[in-house]
Amino acid sequence: MMADKREKPPAWGMGHVGDTSGHHVNTSLIKSKAQIEGIRKAGRLNKRILDMLEERIREGVTTIQIDQWVHELTVANNGVPAPLNYKQFPKSVCTSVNEVVCHGIPEKRKLLSGDIMNVDVTSILQGYYGDSSRMFMIGEVSPEARKLVQVTKECLEIGIAQVKPGGFVGDIGSAIQDYAEQRGYSVVRDFVGHGTGLRFHEDPQIPHFGQKGKGHPFLPGMVFTIEPMINAGHYATTILKDGWTAVTRDGSLSAQWEHTLAVTSDGVDVLTA
């Protein structure tokens, strides 16, 4: 969640690991087995929170209620809601409804039948971060909105399927972009996935668009999020006056799904599943 808005890719560390076809790699991105298990525990708390919301979110619920529920369950499990006071973000969770792409601030507005909403949860547990988000469809949702939500979930799954040693970060974005655009949707450029686990946001950036074979190589022990934001219209976004809420510039619907995952010796381990 709350992926950093950066136009330039990060500068990778010097040196090479194995045969990476000339790509510079940063070995400091690699987490230990113990660290990955700590991140997994935080991811399990995330899942508990989102599962709880599945039972409670319905027409008439306010997004500020959702924030309260997330905060209470996080604290009750000895966790800390990472968004709260992060760079002055005022709430414990992001609730992004309809045309809101990401970083929506919970408020008193009631959810209406036909709304679609992303709830983006990041939990800190014993110093480790778990980051994931899920879409919710309220009441009677239009076929167009339902299809957007489904295709966006498929984009996440397709992105995860690209992760394996020998591949590159660009493989994720290339696959997601091809899949989304073939179905008439666009991929948001202004916000990306990111490394995570020991801090909220770490390197590398994980764009959801791009070219296969480009970017940082996948190495066992890397931990990062994949969180495609897919728009029904153009990919351009605008930040509202609150300094956080990102909306589609053309007012079209947007959807997002997210998981935190680790690269393994032969594939991928989804830590927030």
Side-chain angles (χ1 to χ4, degrees):
M1 68 164 291
M2 309 188 89
D4 289 330
K5 184 178 179 181
R6 305 183 224 170
E7 294 183 355
K8 294 182 179 180
W12 304 118
M14 298 299 292
H16 299 270
V17 175
D19 179 13
T20 60
S21 302
H23 290 71
H24 289 287
V25 301
N26 183 351
T27 55
S28 69
L29 303 178
I30 298 172
K31 305 292 194 297
S32 70
K33 290 183 179 180
Q35 289 171 332
I36 290 173
E37 288 310 305
I39 298 164
R40 189 192 310 278
K41 289 177 181 178
R44 287 173 179 163
L45 175 55
N46 257 39
K47 183 179 183 300
R48 286 187 60 189
I49 292 167
L50 288 165
D51 287 348
M52 174 270 293
L53 294 179
E54 291 275 7
E55 299 175 357
R56 298 187 185 184
I57 289 177
R58 61 187 183 280
E59 185 178 356
V61 165
T62 65
T63 52
I64 198 71
Q65 283 179 288
I66 295 170
D67 178 73
Q68 292 168 348
W69 293 333
V70 169
H71 186 93
E72 290 168 0
L73 186 57
T74 304
V75 173
N77 284 274
N78 300 312
V80 176
L84 185 61
N85 299 320
Y86 176 78
K87 297 185 178 180
Q88 300 183 323
F89 188 80
K91 299 298 180 182
S92 296
V93 70
C94 294
T95 51
S96 301
V97 183
N98 294 332
E99 77 281 1
V100 179
V101 175
C102 59
H103 305 166
I105 300 174
E107 56 185 359
K108 294 181 180 179
R109 69 160 288 173
K110 292 183 178 180
L111 295 172
L112 304 176
S113 181
D115 285 342
I116 62 172
M117 175 180 60
N118 177 268
V119 179
D120 195 340
V121 177
T122 306
S123 304
I124 309 172
L125 189 64
Q126 298 178 336
Y128 295 104
Y129 289 75
D131 190 357
S132 57
S133 77
R134 197 178 292 183
M135 289 299 296
F136 295 83
M137 294 184 285
I138 314 303
E140 296 296 323
V141 174
S142 70
E144 294 79 12
R146 190 173 296 275
K147 181 182 176 184
L148 173 65
V149 170
Q150 179 60 35
V151 169
T152 304
K153 186 176 184 181
E154 291 165 359
C155 283
L156 172 61
E157 294 165 349
I158 287 166
I160 292 172
Q162 308 310 307
V163 180
K164 54 185 176 296
F168 298 88
V169 165
D171 301 350
I172 296 171
S174 176
I176 289 173
Q177 184 177 7
D178 287 349
Y179 190 81
E181 292 181 352
Q182 287 170 8
R183 285 151 184 79
Y185 300 118
S186 65
V187 181
V188 170
R189 308 299 206 260
D190 292 331
F191 302 93
V192 298
H194 53 90
T196 193
L198 307 184
R199 297 186 305 277
F200 204 156
H201 297 108
E202 305 173 8
D203 287 335
Q205 288 190 102
I206 309 294
H208 306 108
F209 60 96
Q211 294 182 320
K212 186 176 178 64
K214 300 293 185 179
H216 200 284
F218 295 130
L219 303 174
M222 288 174 61
V223 176
F224 51 83
T225 71
I226 300 177
E227 46 185 300
M229 287 147 273
I230 308 298
N231 294 349
H234 195 273
Y235 62 74
T237 68
T238 298
I239 306 295
L240 299 185
K241 291 181 180 179
D242 61 28
W244 279 104
T245 306
V247 300
T248 56
R249 193 173 297 173
D250 60 9
S252 62
L253 292 176
S254 186
Q256 178 188 16
W257 293 81
E258 176 184 14
H259 273 308
T260 297
L261 51 94
V263 183
T264 68
S265 61
D266 59 357
V268 63
D269 183 3
V270 181
L271 304 178
T272 48

